[in-house]
Amino acid sequence: MVWQPHTQLQNGKYTIQKTLGEGGFGITYLATDETGKPVAIKTLNDNIRKRRDFNQCQEDFLNEALRLAQCRHPHVVRVRQVIQHDSLWCITMDYIDGTNLGRWVEKEGALPETQALRYIRQIGDALRVVHQQGFLHRDVKPLNILVKNDLAQAVLIDFGMAREFTPNLTQVHTEYVSRGFAPIEQYDRRSRRGAYTDVYGLAATLYALVTAEVPESATARDHHIARGKPDPLIPPQQSG
């Protein structure tokens, strides 16, 4: 069940304030710690808790926390603690007071190029650290980038799809794509992946920020190019 406001975790160490958001796997809450400081707490949602493979989902979720904890960088959301409540693993993280870039662009429209590039450079630097730790984020997109309310800092969030990788080695990964932001190799469980996999998502994110449009999917682009047709991706300067 969804935790209601004033629900206490860890014998009162954390108090739930409200739900921040829910995705296909997880749900994130705003809470306060014993000092009254806001924190974000992420755990598995009700749909996942009802699945037969819930124990495996729990293990994957715990691995997400461990992966994220290794990636120390000012533009990667910081894990504070991994806890258990009612046999459910939870990740406590720094609370980012801001909004995601997907919502921002939807509301305000395309960003100025200089502002968009500043965020992309910050997230690109964060991804460099993620890759140095041997991980791929695999879901870089505007919805997974929070911008603080001062608009100066962008932070990469949601490492639920992150996986270890070995450069130039063919590995089996679960299929998961965000259309428009996922490169062609993410449509094939056995394709080679590397840092370039996240770079594609980062480039697609830049496109979305300066055009306020989701770029053409990698499969559509591949289909056209393989048949000798022009790339259907509209150049940013011609978009809109």
Side-chain angles (χ1 to χ4, degrees):
M1 60 179 292
V2 175
W3 292 331
Q4 299 302 313
H6 309 301
T7 299
Q8 293 192 335
L9 283 61
Q10 299 283 286
N11 296 318
K13 184 174 182 179
Y14 300 105
T15 303
I16 300 297
Q17 301 299 320
K18 65 177 182 179
T19 300
L20 289 174
E22 184 172 3
F25 297 93
I27 183 169
T28 303
Y29 299 91
L30 172 64
T32 51
D33 64 14
E34 294 167 306
T35 68
K37 184 176 181 179
V39 297
I41 298 181
K42 181 178 179 181
T43 191
L44 295 174
N45 63 28
D46 281 349
N47 290 333
I48 298 299
R49 295 171 71 174
K50 296 174 184 176
R51 284 172 42 164
R52 292 182 178 179
D53 62 346
F54 171 67
N55 288 336
Q56 181 61 52
C57 292
Q58 279 262 74
E59 183 177 337
D60 291 343
F61 182 78
L62 181 58
N63 287 335
E64 174 192 353
L66 298 176
R67 284 191 292 269
L68 183 54
Q70 293 180 53
C71 300
R72 295 285 184 174
H73 190 276
H75 298 292
V76 174
V77 64
R78 184 175 72 94
V79 170
R80 296 176 49 154
Q81 191 178 19
V82 179
I83 62 174
Q84 256 190 326
H85 181 76
D86 291 340
S87 301
L88 196 63
W89 285 108
C90 308
I91 307 173
T92 67
M93 301 170 286
D94 285 348
Y95 170 65
I96 309 298
D97 190 12
T99 188
N100 70 65
L101 282 174
R103 191 173 301 162
W104 178 270
V105 170
E106 183 179 350
K107 181 180 178 181
E108 303 292 339
L111 298 181
E113 184 177 320
T114 53
Q115 184 180 7
L117 285 172
R118 180 170 71 249
Y119 297 150
I120 292 299
R121 290 191 184 102
Q122 291 174 355
I123 300 304
D125 195 42
L127 284 171
R128 181 173 55 82
V129 172
V130 172
H131 297 157
Q132 286 173 348
Q133 292 293 335
F135 302 122
L136 296 176
H137 185 280
R138 298 204 311 156
D139 198 20
V140 180
K141 59 185 178 182
L143 286 173
N144 285 338
I145 299 173
L146 289 179
V147 175
K148 297 181 180 180
N149 282 336
D150 62 5
L151 302 184
Q153 303 287 323
V155 179
L156 184 63
I157 64 170
D158 201 342
F159 280 66
M161 292 307 301
R163 292 293 183 271
E164 293 181 88
F165 81 105
T166 302
N168 300 317
L169 178 67
T170 300
Q171 296 170 280
V172 177
H173 289 248
T174 53
E175 289 183 61
Y176 180 87
V177 296
S178 292
R179 291 187 65 83
F181 300 98
I184 193 66
E185 64 267 19
Q186 280 191 240
Y187 289 82
D188 184 347
R189 296 178 68 242
R190 295 184 177 274
S191 285
R192 288 187 177 184
R193 291 164 171 80
Y196 48 82
T197 301
D198 285 338
V199 170
Y200 186 100
L202 188 64
T205 295
L206 175 59
Y207 183 98
L209 297 184
V210 298
T211 65
E213 296 179 4
V214 175
E216 194 72 51
S217 71
T219 50
R221 299 180 67 191
D222 182 65
H223 180 81
H224 279 72
I225 294 170
R227 285 159 179 74
K229 298 179 180 180
D231 187 340
L233 182 71
I234 300 173
Q237 60 270 32
Q238 297 176 18
S239 179

